[in-house]
Amino acid sequence: MTTAPKRRSELPRVDDDSVLIFDLDNTLYPAACNLFSQVSDLIGQYVRDALKLEATEAHRVQKDYFHRYGTTLRGLMTEHEIDPADYLAKVHDIDLSVVDPAPDLASALNDLPGRKLIFTNASRGHAERVMDRLGIAHHFETIFDIVDAEYIPKPKQEPYDLLLARDGIDPTRAVYFEDMAKNLLPAKDMGMTTVWVHTDLEWAQAGRDDPRIDHETDDLVGFLRGLNTGS
């Protein structure tokens, strides 16, 4: 992975009143493990089976819905009234052995004050399994998943509003970490400090040059250890 450009913003101060919000996939584990490619393949299979399409057309529909609706699930729900629970169960039936446990990440999280939350377009069950595999689940207070978001995906504004209301978050005290650059922009507009966890994946690049991204890093553990804790 190439080294991410540095931002000039001062690193945020983190204390007991801070809230650290993390996306899940390709943020808390390296995108290079290709875990999400398994999900993408299962989404393609679901589209083929649900809509009775050939593989090429199913792939086109999958990507079209992703770009137009934010998630393939949202497109399938809108245009075909599919059952979201069935979809989420099937597309997250994956092999997590490609994800290595992350004791360094666990240690960095443990050393940081404040609340820690997961904010994901995936399902709660998927998030719990990934967090257990990484060995970091006990560091997080709660998960806000796509069901909590009423199936409206980031970067639509609604899930951000629902997250802050549900968990009583002051956005000016929050730091948000995310691999998809465009998903950081609504958070910044609400007052959060934004951190792009750099990836070379093409579909994560949109918005990367937007000035609303305060920081970017290709070393999440190193970034967390460099935060100002006021000690």
Side-chain angles (χ1 to χ4, degrees):
M1 180 177 291
T2 57
T3 301
K6 304 293 184 182
R7 296 286 175 178
R8 289 177 292 180
S9 304
E10 183 179 351
L11 288 176
R13 183 178 184 276
V14 177
D15 57 29
D16 289 341
D17 294 325
S18 299
V19 183
L20 303 181
I21 304 172
F22 294 84
D23 177 54
L24 180 81
D25 289 305
N26 298 329
T27 298
L28 289 177
Y29 61 82
C33 77
N34 288 323
L35 179 67
F36 208 73
S37 67
Q38 294 184 53
V39 178
S40 181
D41 289 345
L42 289 173
I43 292 172
Q45 182 64 55
Y46 193 95
V47 172
R48 290 197 295 274
D49 293 344
L51 305 186
K52 297 178 171 54
L53 299 174
E54 295 297 326
T56 300
E57 179 61 12
H59 180 77
R60 186 197 67 77
V61 169
Q62 175 184 353
K63 299 308 179 185
D64 175 55
Y65 287 177
F66 175 78
H67 289 294
R68 285 200 289 131
Y69 292 99
T71 61
T72 305
L73 170 60
R74 187 70 180 177
L76 289 169
M77 290 177 66
T78 301
E79 301 207 8
H80 305 283
E81 299 184 342
I82 66 99
D83 176 9
D86 179 66
Y87 172 96
L88 290 170
K90 290 179 177 175
V91 305
H92 291 133
D93 184 18
I94 55 177
D95 174 16
L96 292 176
S97 66
V98 298
V99 176
D100 291 330
D104 289 346
L105 176 58
S107 175
L109 291 168
N110 186 65
D111 290 342
L112 287 171
R115 301 165 63 194
K116 302 171 185 72
L117 293 76
I118 297 293
F119 180 24
T120 177
N121 278 346
S123 69
R124 179 179 299 272
H126 172 68
E128 290 172 342
R129 290 189 292 274
V130 171
M131 292 161 68
D132 285 342
R133 175 67 182 172
L134 290 168
I136 61 172
H138 58 291
H139 293 296
F140 288 88
E141 173 184 312
T142 190
I143 298 166
F144 188 95
D145 77 340
I146 193 65
V147 180
D148 297 312
E150 300 175 357
Y151 301 104
I152 301 170
K154 301 178 283 184
K156 299 290 188 182
Q157 184 63 48
E158 292 91 333
Y160 299 81
D161 293 335
L162 289 168
L163 168 67
L164 266 59
R166 190 196 74 172
D167 293 311
I169 297 169
D170 175 357
T172 67
R173 302 295 300 140
V175 184
Y176 180 39
F177 300 82
E178 165 78 61
D179 73 297
M180 292 188 66
K182 66 181 181 180
N183 290 350
L184 292 164
L185 308 186
K188 183 61 179 180
D189 289 340
M190 300 173 81
M192 298 187 205
T193 297
T194 54
V195 183
W196 182 39
V197 181
H198 180 263
T199 169
D200 289 330
L201 295 172
E202 181 276 330
W203 45 265
Q205 305 296 312
R208 64 167 294 170
D209 295 322
D210 194 290
R212 286 172 287 181
I213 297 177
D214 295 310
H215 308 279
E216 57 186 271
T217 182
D218 54 9
D219 177 10
L220 177 61
V221 171
F223 188 91
L224 294 176
R225 286 178 171 161
L227 289 175
N228 176 11
T229 60
S231 57

